[in-house]
Amino acid sequence: MEHTTQQKQFKKLYLGIELGSTRIKAVLINENHEVLAQGNYDWENQMQDGIWTYSLDMVHTGLQACYHALKEDVKTKYGFVLKKLDGMGISAMMHGYLVFDKAGNLLTPFRTWRNTMSETASKQLTELFQYNIPQRWSIAHLYQAILNKEPHVKQIAFQTTLAGYVHYLLTGEKVLGVGEASGMFPIDSSKIDYDETMVQKFNEKISGEQLPWKLRDIFPKVLNAGDEAGHLTTAGAAFLDVEHDLCADVPLCPPEGDAGTGMVATNSINIGSGNVSAGTSVFAMVVLEKALSRVYEALDMVTTPSGDLVAMVHCNNGTSELNAWANIFSQFLNGMNVKADLDDIYGILFQKALQAELDGGGLIACNYLSGEPITGFTSGVPLFVRKPDGHFTLENFMLTLIYSSLSTLKMGMDILTQKENVKIHQMFGHGGFFKTPLVGQKIMSAIMRAPLSVLETAGEGGAWGCAVLAAYKQQKEAGMSLSNYLQRRVFLNVECNTQMADEALINGFDAFIKDYKKCLIVERTAVKEL
């Protein structure tokens, strides 16, 4: 692609946009995968009629504002208006329920991964497929809507995820990357497609409903990493860039979920490797050598962006309660007329955590803001309690909040490592949780009982990983696998910091989680009464 005169200082430009739970982020990279510019837009989900959702207006506004911020960053740093791209990609939080009629109208508000309203469907489909179908998965939401006799079901012409929807807006193509598709429906990794046996079972299951469609009629096509996924249309370019500077015909990579782009961003797509991300939700993923011996409700079976089998522990509740307390401290400082950046506040609080008594000093927190399928909660109430003889210090308080954010993850990982004897050779961390040097790493290492590595690129997150997937598309055309591309081109000279928790910290967390599990009894009572 020919660039404007000012853009010619860069041989190639690739854009990745990821719609996360609390932030939409855009990252522009060059042919060496270096970050050139960024744009951000903060947003949050809303509870509407008992459903966690984002309106499509919020999606549209957020995308446009995020892209505009990126353009401004480019203009400030390099002195030109961004007009041409060599590739781009879209990523977003996985799962959920987005359904449209033939005219493209949204039939019901977007039901995000955070909702725990499809328990009956989840259990029935898990039994039918003999394959764990979590409540978050798109197929669980679809089947629950069928069981509920929701009128809109007969009008469905297209169902997709948030990443798939944005990709469709920009290209007109109804497709998904295989990693993202694996959060809609079980995947046959050998065919890079929905599992046909399970597709037939589902169609038979709903045959008595007299619906005008079968599953493949309404689901997006599944693509492998690097496959042709369409080009930015004139309308798509005009939508994304409201100032109409962006040129159309940019090739897009298959849209992926935040789990898949996280794997790319941490170079953890090979067997025995894994990654963990701690944010509004917390999830860990381990690439498997073989299928597990049985079905576990606490473990999702998904895939890498190139289709390899992955065990995923996904917790609906992560750092939201920790974030809420950080905001309280920020408000307090503002009340004292002390100006402090929120990132600095996090840094101070995280450093305090490593000065705490390693078992939390008798303080206990439960971080459940919403339901948590791993522990059987359909809703949540955040709690903080302390023993009468507990040591209520800032240090202990912060360590307790951090431990609480990761405790449910630990319960899920124990199934994988202890019951299935899965060996983890490499574990990588990414996301804001690891932004404060060493603190998040050491604590996560204690939870995982394994060395935890953070690459120097990890702070860029899934948007950067998505831009890398966009750049990979041309390399696949030349015959290079995604694994080789990451090893030889992207991460060859990237620095990596590895930390292993000492026995004292590991033992401290083990003592804390015993009390955390007991606290879940209190949590059940609180949920019931409140």
Side-chain angles (χ1 to χ4, degrees):
M1 177 179 290
E2 220 172 289
H3 289 233
T4 62
T5 301
Q6 290 171 304
Q7 283 190 227
K8 284 185 177 179
Q9 58 184 297
F10 305 111
K11 293 180 180 179
K12 300 285 185 180
L13 293 174
Y14 302 100
L15 174 65
I17 299 177
E18 183 161 278
L19 294 91
S21 301
T22 60
R23 175 176 292 181
I24 303 174
K25 183 175 182 178
V27 170
L28 186 71
I29 66 173
N30 61 15
E31 67 280 1
N32 297 319
H33 315 101
E34 298 165 329
V35 175
L36 303 177
Q38 299 185 44
N40 297 293
Y41 178 82
D42 292 332
W43 69 343
E44 59 182 282
N45 54 192
Q46 300 173 326
M47 177 69 82
Q48 179 179 328
D49 297 326
I51 295 173
W52 291 105
T53 188
Y54 300 83
S55 71
L56 292 193
D57 284 343
M58 291 173 65
V59 174
H60 299 169
T61 299
L63 279 168
Q64 292 166 349
C66 180
Y67 183 79
H68 179 75
L70 175 84
K71 279 183 65 181
E72 290 298 303
D73 197 31
V74 170
K75 189 174 181 180
T76 298
K77 289 178 176 176
Y78 308 106
F80 67 84
V81 175
L82 183 61
K83 295 183 178 182
K84 294 180 179 292
L85 296 168
D86 295 279
M88 65 180 294
I90 300 297
S91 175
M93 57 191 113
M94 292 177 69
H95 316 299
Y97 187 64
L98 273 165
V99 287
F100 303 87
D101 64 16
K102 290 181 179 179
N105 299 307
L106 184 67
L107 292 171
T108 188
F110 173 32
R111 300 170 185 178
T112 75
W113 56 270
R114 196 168 205 167
N115 291 286
T116 50
M117 56 196 296
S118 54
E119 182 178 9
T120 301
S122 172
K123 289 181 177 179
Q124 288 190 18
L125 291 177
T126 297
E127 177 66 25
L128 177 67
F129 297 151
Q130 288 299 294
Y131 193 101
N132 185 37
I133 304 297
Q135 292 193 52
R136 302 182 310 281
W137 280 28
S138 303
I139 189 62
H141 280 287
L142 174 63
Y143 188 50
Q144 190 66 55
I146 294 172
L147 293 177
N148 293 345
K149 306 294 184 183
E150 296 186 39
H152 76 265
V153 172
K154 291 187 176 181
Q155 302 174 53
I156 297 175
F158 177 44
Q159 178 176 348
T160 190
T161 64
L162 182 57
Y165 168 69
V166 174
H167 185 92
Y168 173 69
L169 274 181
L170 300 181
T171 67
E173 299 290 338
K174 298 177 179 179
V175 298
L176 282 184
V178 62
E180 174 77 334
S182 68
M184 285 196 75
F185 194 89
I187 293 293
D188 181 344
S189 292
S190 67
K191 298 181 179 178
I192 311 296
D193 199 3
Y194 305 117
D195 186 291
E196 183 58 28
T197 299
M198 297 184 197
V199 168
Q200 293 303 323
K201 285 184 177 181
F202 182 80
N203 286 335
E204 291 171 9
K205 182 79 170 176
I206 65 171
S207 60
E209 301 293 332
Q210 303 299 312
L211 298 173
W213 49 260
K214 292 187 177 180
L215 194 67
R216 288 188 181 274
D217 297 333
I218 63 172
F219 266 27
K221 181 181 177 182
V222 181
L223 299 176
N224 205 343
D227 284 352
E228 176 60 48
H231 289 71
L232 184 67
T233 63
T234 301
F239 162 78
L240 186 61
D241 183 357
V242 296
E243 296 166 322
H244 298 178
D245 292 314
L246 181 61
C247 296
D249 205 33
V250 180
L252 271 76
C253 64
E256 267 298 344
D258 51 1
T261 54
M263 283 187 275
V264 171
T266 53
N267 192 23
S268 52
I269 69 167
N270 296 313
I271 292 172
S273 66
N275 75 90
V276 60
S277 173
T280 304
S281 63
V282 178
F283 58 84
M285 311 187 70
V286 179
V287 186
L288 301 177
E289 183 177 2
K290 60 182 180 179
L292 300 180
S293 64
R294 49 159 291 197
V295 174
Y296 297 96
E297 289 188 10
L299 299 178
D300 296 16
M301 302 306 296
V302 292
T303 78
T304 68
S306 49
D308 292 312
L309 192 63
V310 174
M312 177 181 187
V313 180
H314 185 286
C315 308
N316 282 359
N317 296 279
T319 61
S320 290
E321 187 65 0
L322 174 62
N323 298 341
W325 280 103
N327 282 320
I328 287 292
F329 288 117
S330 177
Q331 292 170 31
F332 171 76
L333 290 173
N334 287 335
M336 297 287 291
N337 292 319
V338 176
K339 301 299 181 183
D341 183 81
L342 193 56
D343 286 341
D344 293 335
I345 292 173
Y346 275 108
I348 293 171
L349 294 176
F350 267 59
Q351 292 292 350
K352 285 290 184 183
L354 281 190
Q355 301 168 21
E357 297 172 68
L358 298 183
D359 63 354
L363 312 186
I364 311 167
C366 182
N367 61 319
Y368 289 3
L369 187 65
S370 63
E372 189 57 75
I374 287 180
T375 47
F377 284 84
T378 56
S379 60
V381 177
L383 295 178
F384 170 73
V385 298
R386 57 191 175 104
K387 298 176 181 179
D389 59 349
H391 300 151
F392 193 15
T393 66
L394 177 61
E395 292 83 357
N396 288 344
F397 181 62
M398 286 311 305
L399 184 61
T400 295
L401 291 177
I402 294 173
Y403 276 170
S404 173
S405 301
L406 306 175
S407 291
T408 307
L409 176 71
K410 170 64 173 173
M411 297 180 201
M413 286 298 296
D414 283 348
I415 296 172
L416 192 62
T417 57
Q418 297 177 17
K419 294 186 178 181
E420 289 290 327
N421 296 313
V422 172
K423 305 300 181 185
I424 303 173
H425 306 304
Q426 292 179 298
M427 202 73 189
F428 294 92
H430 63 105
F433 184 81
F434 301 101
K435 195 168 186 178
T436 302
L438 305 182
V439 181
Q441 268 182 276
K442 287 185 176 180
I443 295 174
M444 188 66 79
S445 173
I447 274 70
M448 294 291 173
R449 290 179 175 268
L452 201 289
S453 301
V454 175
L455 298 163
E456 65 176 341
T457 55
E460 305 303 340
W464 180 78
C466 192
V468 170
L469 284 174
Y472 166 66
K473 185 178 182 301
Q474 294 177 342
Q475 299 302 318
K476 183 173 182 178
E477 293 169 356
M480 181 176 285
S481 70
L482 179 59
S483 177
N484 285 340
Y485 180 68
L486 296 179
Q487 295 282 10
R488 299 175 185 176
R489 300 285 182 86
V490 182
F491 294 101
L492 184 62
N493 297 311
V494 172
E495 292 186 9
C496 179
N497 179 282
T498 301
Q499 296 289 322
M500 178 66 202
D502 58 28
E503 283 298 317
L505 185 56
I506 292 172
N507 293 335
F509 176 76
D510 286 348
F512 171 85
I513 201 170
K514 289 179 181 178
D515 285 338
Y516 181 87
K517 290 176 179 177
K518 294 175 184 176
C519 187
L520 292 181
I521 300 172
V522 181
E523 174 71 9
R524 291 190 188 281
T525 302
V527 168
K528 182 179 179 181
E529 295 298 326
L530 298 177

